[in-house]
């Protein structure tokens, strides 16, 4: 093989090697960029899921608080009604007692 041919073959091989390296570097950069984009999408999705979970938990907590508040109000109203009924029942007794005391006082002065 003539020397010129060998040099051309070497240059062609070097050029091919440079292209392979250049293509490999470009592909590497492209894959790195794709990985970064994918990581960003995963991070954004995780943030959305975390926010959604926080909102769901907050809504659940609000529902629990509302239910507990309603129960406390209901118990308070029931207790208030019970005390009111008891007071009304005792009112008759108190009126009778006051009238009795008044009558005793009137008879004692007479």
């Amino acid at each position: 093989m003539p020397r010129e041919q060998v040099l051309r073959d070497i240059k062609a091989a070097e050029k091919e090697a440079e292209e392979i390296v250049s293509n490999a570097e470009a592909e590497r950069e492209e894959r790195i960029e794709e990985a970064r984009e994918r990581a960003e999408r995963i991070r954004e999705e995780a943030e959305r899921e975390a926010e959604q979970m926080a909102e769901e938990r907050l809504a659940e907590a609000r529902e629990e608080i509302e239910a507990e508040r309603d129960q406390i109000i209901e118990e308070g109203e029931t207790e208030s009604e019970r005390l009111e009924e008891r007071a009304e029942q005792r009112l008759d007794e108190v009126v009778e007692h006051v009238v009795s005391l008044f009558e005793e006082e009137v008879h004692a002065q007479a």
Side-chain angles (χ1 to χ4, degrees), residues 59-73:
E60 289 172 2
R62 283 185 178 141
E63 287 177 13
E64 289 176 13
I65 289 170
E66 291 261 335
E68 188 174 333
R69 180 185 63 93
D70 291 345
Q71 182 180 356
I72 290 170
I73 288 171

Side-chain angles (χ1 to χ4, degrees), residues 8-104:
R8 277 189 292 243
D9 288 347
I10 290 173
K11 284 186 179 185
E14 285 176 348
K15 185 176 180 181
E16 185 179 340
E18 285 176 9
E19 287 176 4
I20 290 171
V21 168
S22 177
N23 289 339
E25 287 177 357
E27 186 176 329
R28 178 182 65 97
E29 290 299 320
E30 187 177 312
R31 287 185 181 195
I32 288 171
E33 185 60 29
E34 288 174 359
R36 285 183 180 139
E37 290 173 0
R38 188 171 26 137
E40 181 65 19
R41 285 192 307 269
I42 290 170
R43 186 190 61 76
E44 289 172 355
E45 180 64 24
E47 284 180 358
R48 277 192 298 273
E49 288 178 7
E51 288 175 9
Q52 183 178 359
M53 287 176 63
E55 289 174 9
E56 288 173 1
R57 288 184 180 164
L58 182 59
E60 289 172 2
R62 283 185 178 141
E63 287 177 13
E64 289 176 13
I65 289 170
E66 291 261 335
E68 188 174 333
R69 180 185 63 93
D70 291 345
Q71 182 180 356
I72 290 170
I73 288 171
E74 185 178 323
E75 289 172 358
E77 288 173 350
T78 301
E79 181 67 12
S80 175
E81 289 171 6
R82 188 184 69 76
L83 290 173
E84 191 174 317
E85 287 175 10
R86 186 170 171 214
E88 286 177 11
Q89 291 172 356
R90 300 252 349 210
L91 182 63
D92 291 340
E93 293 174 15
V94 169
V95 168
E96 286 180 25
H97 182 68
V98 169
V99 168
S100 174
L101 289 175
F102 179 74
E103 287 175 350
E104 288 177 14

